[in-house]
Amino acid sequence: MAQRRVLITGAGSGLGQALAHRYARAGDKVACVDLDAARANLTRAALPGEGHLAISANVASDDAMEQVHERIAREWGGLDVLVNNAGIATGGAMVDTTMAEWRNVLEINLLGVVRGCRLFLPGMVAAGRGQVINTASFAGLAGAPSIMSYGVAKAAVVALSEQLRAEVADKGITVSVLCPAFFRTNLLESWQGDPRLKAFADRMMASSPDTLEGVADRVFAAVERGEFLVLPTRSEPMRWRLKRWFPNLYFKQLLKLVRARGAGH
């Protein structure tokens, strides 16, 4: 297999970093993009193989992402795989949110994906091949309360990915969207919103049966098969089927779960 050119945002830690290792082990060269330059460099330095890049950029900045695009065009001549993975965590009920929180999470979690797609898709279309992988969350499918801004932003990433999949289906480009639930990463370092929800999310991560390495392995295998909707945490495929096939039952079960947790059970 020819060496692919892979760009991953949020590659300085968590799932982005784990995927960088998966692609590098497969023989690909990886551009590790992260807001934190030190983390990007540490990831790049730890990858097997040669030709990798470390790039510091804020996916919420038009100018910064334009510069990433220019560097990739200059040094690599384009991309084969784009992984729009960077994101932040927010949580809280609608009445507790602020407009600043909404603007920030949409700029990063949604428009960061938009920026990546707008910049790198034209080259893929011209080449007649490519792969776009967008990290959403099961929060974007679940319809759960108290994760208002985060869930809405991630739902928008799912919708974007569905529409993009149809747009590029006849252009040699595949699209995947990742919708994991809780597993242990450092995502909560970026938390904005209700601190009570942060503590809850931390407990859910700590008690998850899914590991970062296991999730990364399942994601990599699924996107290599060309799957569109990737549910890489263990309980979510059944939960998604329940919502799709029995939406009223799913909603009742969701409310029951929320009430039980609210009561401290």
Side-chain angles (χ1 to χ4, degrees):
M1 182 182 295
Q3 184 182 49
R4 293 173 295 186
R5 302 159 298 177
V6 182
L7 183 144
I8 304 175
T9 65
S13 62
L15 182 59
Q17 184 180 70
L19 289 176
H21 281 273
R22 297 305 181 283
Y23 280 102
R25 290 206 299 265
D28 301 319
K29 56 183 179 181
V30 183
C32 306
V33 179
D34 201 90
L35 181 62
D36 187 317
R39 285 182 171 180
N41 277 295
L42 285 172
T43 298
R44 179 197 57 77
L47 297 180
E50 298 179 350
H52 309 302
L53 301 176
I55 306 173
S56 175
N58 182 356
V59 298
S61 166
D62 294 346
D63 290 342
M65 290 305 292
E66 287 278 3
Q67 291 173 24
V68 172
H69 178 256
E70 291 170 3
R71 181 172 176 186
I72 293 297
R74 183 173 64 250
E75 299 196 23
W76 284 1
L79 283 183
D80 301 297
V81 182
L82 169 65
V83 186
N84 291 305
N85 171 75
I88 61 170
T90 61
M94 175 64 83
V95 295
D96 297 322
T97 60
T98 66
M99 289 311 300
E101 175 189 317
W102 278 99
R103 291 188 183 97
N104 198 35
V105 72
L106 291 172
E107 280 287 357
I108 297 170
N109 289 11
L110 173 59
L111 294 183
V113 174
V114 172
R115 289 181 183 96
C117 291
R118 286 189 68 253
L119 289 165
F120 291 103
L121 262 176
M124 293 183 180
V125 171
R129 66 181 188 277
Q131 187 174 24
V132 177
I133 301 159
N134 298 325
T135 299
S137 167
F138 195 72
L141 303 173
S146 299
I147 51 170
M148 185 57 65
S149 60
Y150 184 79
V152 169
K154 292 300 189 179
V157 173
V158 175
L160 179 156
S161 302
E162 289 178 334
Q163 293 176 213
L164 184 63
R165 181 192 188 195
E167 282 192 9
V168 301
D170 61 350
K171 301 183 188 303
I173 300 167
T174 62
V175 177
S176 299
V177 61
L178 316 181
C179 293
F182 293 103
F183 65 101
R184 173 57 66 187
T185 69
N186 64 343
L187 178 64
L188 297 183
E189 290 179 4
S190 64
W191 181 269
Q192 297 178 19
D194 189 334
R196 294 170 298 179
L197 267 296
K198 181 181 180 182
F200 168 76
D202 189 62
R203 291 195 300 272
M204 292 297 290
M205 284 183 168
S207 63
S208 171
D210 294 290
T211 66
L212 172 59
E213 295 303 312
V215 169
D217 286 341
R218 289 190 285 274
V219 165
F220 185 75
V223 299
E224 289 293 275
R225 291 191 297 267
E227 293 182 14
F228 171 66
L229 179 63
V230 181
L231 301 168
T233 43
R234 299 181 191 183
S235 299
E236 280 50 60
M238 183 55 68
R239 287 174 177 164
W240 176 232
R241 294 186 188 101
L242 179 63
K243 185 182 181 186
R244 290 290 301 274
W245 297 342
F246 307 101
N248 290 332
L249 175 60
Y250 172 86
F251 184 66
K252 291 176 182 178
Q253 292 294 326
L254 176 65
L255 293 184
K256 182 179 179 180
L257 180 63
V258 168
R259 288 166 184 154
R261 287 173 176 167
H265 297 307

